[in-house]
Amino acid sequence: MSRIHLKPVATLREPTELVAHGLASAADLPDLEKVAARYAVAVTPDIAALIDPGDPDDPIARQFIPSAEELVARPGENADPIGDHAHSPVAGIVHRYPDRVLFKLVHVCAVYCRFCFRREMVGPGKATALSPDAYNGALDYIRAHSEIWEVILTGGDPLMLSPRRLGEIMADLAAIDHVRIIRIHTRVPVADPARISAEMVAALGIDAGIPMVSQSVLLRGVNDNVAALEALMRAFVECRIKPYYLHHGDLAPGTAHLRTTLEHGQQLMRALRGRVSGLCQPDYVLDIPGGYGKAPVGPSYLSQASSLPGEGELDPETRYRVVDYCGDVHLYPPKP
């Protein structure tokens, strides 16, 4: 029997609400209650409106509606899969790379992604925001480290803060001479676009627009086929959003059902290379568990050549094999 989809007027936060609005099955309710007891749930009206309740494989639902599969933990999964804690010198700061820091202001989001790598750190029951003392301590750390060129506001979702508070934060950071770039990690523009009000725009100090880039996650059953990735990356560029990263799924607890293999990701990136322009090409990256940072893990198109039939011995220092987008192999420099 198909479920009736009633568009909610407020964010859905309880499994019973998801069932009442046709976004989950009543038969799944006991398991969904167990999931919600551990991991935050929130589905905004704007996201709910995108879900087709008649499609059991709906890709939007797969990203935001909880699943009993989240109760299954796999070896290697970790509550801090990318090692934030190992690089946190003071509360609210992650300083993994020399010239930039993450500034974790809040621990709440408009929606909670089922694949979130910080799922053990965000949502109800967790600290909602930095205390005043912790905030000032984080600012002091940034001021004291002149190598910090970029501050990345994250969390949680920093656009859950009020425009007034965001304006104060932007002013505090703008007063630090060596901070030249402020980046904001957010899903609010798509998850709860009404929050992007005139007051919010003014608080962010926008005078000529904000460059936007996408950080997508490769997810099984969502975008793990070349047609979906092609459509997604083209849509980003058409909306003036530069594809930046395509993340391999992190080893967050209860997310194995959403992860692909690295080999499949590489196959997709190789196929994407021949289908869309360079503007549409994200970097396929893996956050190395333990806090060692991101590494590009896309396919390789270059290898040293030793010999080819009929070519004799080739100097591996000066001759290479290069694979084109059709899969054909060429020598570089070409044979004289």
Side-chain angles (χ1 to χ4, degrees), residues 12 38 56-57 60 93 122 128 132 157-158 187 204 221 227 242 265 270 276 285:
L12 307 177
R38 180 170 182 180
D57 299 316
I60 305 299
I93 293 292
V122 299
T128 56
D157 194 316
R187 271 189 180 266
L204 295 176
K242 174 67 178 80
R270 190 180 293 277
V276 297
V285 296

Side-chain angles (χ1 to χ4, degrees), residues 109-151:
C109 298
V111 291
Y112 292 103
C113 306
R114 308 323 305 166
F115 50 91
C116 178
F117 65 92
R118 293 195 180 115
R119 61 194 335 227
E120 299 275 9
M121 311 172 199
V122 299
K126 312 297 192 299
T128 56
L130 287 179
S131 69
D133 285 346
Y135 175 79
N136 289 328
L139 278 181
D140 286 342
Y141 181 88
I142 296 169
R143 292 186 186 106
H145 288 262
S146 60
E147 72 274 21
I148 296 174
W149 174 78
E150 180 181 20
V151 174

Side-chain angles (χ1 to χ4, degrees), residues 218 223 225-234 246 268-269 272:
L218 183 60
N223 58 6
N225 65 81
V226 70
L229 278 180
E230 178 183 356
L232 178 62
M233 299 306 155
R234 286 186 188 276
L246 178 65
L268 290 172
M269 291 302 298
L272 195 65

